Amino acid sequence: MITTRQKEIIAAAGKLLTHSGINGLTIKNLASEMDFTEGAVYRHFKSKEEIILLMLEYLATDMDERLSALPKSNNPEQHLNDIFENQLNFFSGQPHFFVVAFSDGLMEISEEINAALLKIMTIKMKHLFPVIFSGQKKGFFTTAVSTEEVIQMIIGTFRLQMFRWRVLGYQEDIKSNGMKSIQSIVKVIKSK
């Protein structure tokens, strides 16, 4: 269970990640950001890696819970829109979770971080696969490409939109632009 203080620390770590990237996240910078001593941070986390791991674990658990709670729609297109609208709402309010999941150089830190990132991808697949597969079976989506390939196109489009948002300093309306991108990809994968 994550403590209140750990939540505060990962929120501050997220702020540093958002503004300074993975290299800007140090225990020293984190302590300064929180007006703590470095020792106070070390009472809750042994290392920067442990902070990142908790952020990734929190993201995975939260995403799985949020997407599992969505009402199941008989319309696969609507269900797909609901999934991405939920994700965009989450990230728009907490961009540091996007940054930690997609930071350059993050995968080189440790195997544990790679495993945590893989868990996030697995959870995305868990929620997208049945929607796309069902949509293909019901004739909503094309069967010209496999379910896995459709999911790769969707996730690639979503990821590109999120990177654009990051490059623009989180200044554009990610909810509106993200949903436009998802609706465009739906037009491409829809059965004629």
Side-chain angles (χ1 to χ4, degrees):
M1 186 73 178
I2 193 170
T3 68
T4 301
R5 181 63 75 196
Q6 286 175 319
K7 283 183 185 177
E8 291 170 1
I9 292 170
I10 64 172
K15 184 176 177 184
L16 285 172
L17 280 169
T18 303
H19 298 292
S20 306
I22 195 71
N23 293 326
L25 177 58
T26 65
I27 298 296
K28 181 178 182 174
N29 290 347
L30 185 55
S32 176
E33 176 72 28
M34 297 191 73
D35 203 23
F36 280 6
T37 64
E38 289 180 49
V41 175
Y42 280 118
R43 279 196 289 276
H44 299 281
F45 295 98
K46 296 176 195 168
S47 65
K48 166 176 144 174
E49 179 181 344
E50 194 173 273
I51 294 167
I52 292 168
L53 283 169
L54 184 61
M55 289 178 81
L56 292 170
E57 180 60 35
Y58 177 84
L59 176 59
T61 302
D62 183 76
M63 179 173 48
D64 195 29
E65 289 172 358
R66 280 185 294 104
L67 298 183
S68 294
L70 288 175
K72 304 297 185 244
S73 172
N74 287 330
N75 180 329
E77 182 179 345
Q78 181 59 52
H79 196 141
L80 190 63
N81 281 333
D82 291 345
I83 287 171
F84 282 98
E85 183 174 25
N86 185 283
Q87 286 292 86
L88 289 162
N89 285 332
F90 175 82
F91 284 122
S92 70
Q94 303 176 86
H96 55 277
F97 283 109
F98 168 74
V99 175
V100 77
F102 297 101
S103 284
D104 297 332
L106 189 62
M107 291 183 281
E108 288 80 29
I109 293 177
S110 75
E111 288 301 314
E112 291 82 11
I113 287 178
N114 288 346
L117 289 168
L118 184 59
K119 181 177 180 180
I120 290 169
M121 287 187 266
T122 302
I123 290 170
K124 285 180 188 173
M125 289 295 288
K126 168 187 165 184
H127 291 281
L128 289 174
F129 190 91
V131 175
I132 301 303
F133 185 76
S134 168
Q136 288 175 317
K137 289 289 183 200
K138 292 178 179 178
F140 280 92
F141 302 136
T142 184
T143 56
V145 293
S146 71
T147 303
E148 291 84 0
E149 290 168 326
V150 171
I151 291 169
Q152 287 174 8
M153 288 188 296
I154 293 169
I155 290 175
T157 300
F158 181 76
R159 186 173 179 170
L160 182 61
Q161 186 67 47
M162 296 299 287
F163 273 121
R164 175 184 157 79
W165 180 50
R166 182 177 177 192
V167 168
L168 294 173
Y170 309 102
Q171 297 304 308
E172 73 175 7
D173 181 355
I174 189 58
K175 292 183 209 177
S176 175
N177 291 338
M179 287 309 295
K180 285 178 190 172
S181 290
I182 294 303
Q183 290 160 359
S184 293
I185 201 79
V186 166
K187 287 177 186 173
V188 170
I189 65 170
K190 262 185 145 176
S191 290
K192 303 294 182 213

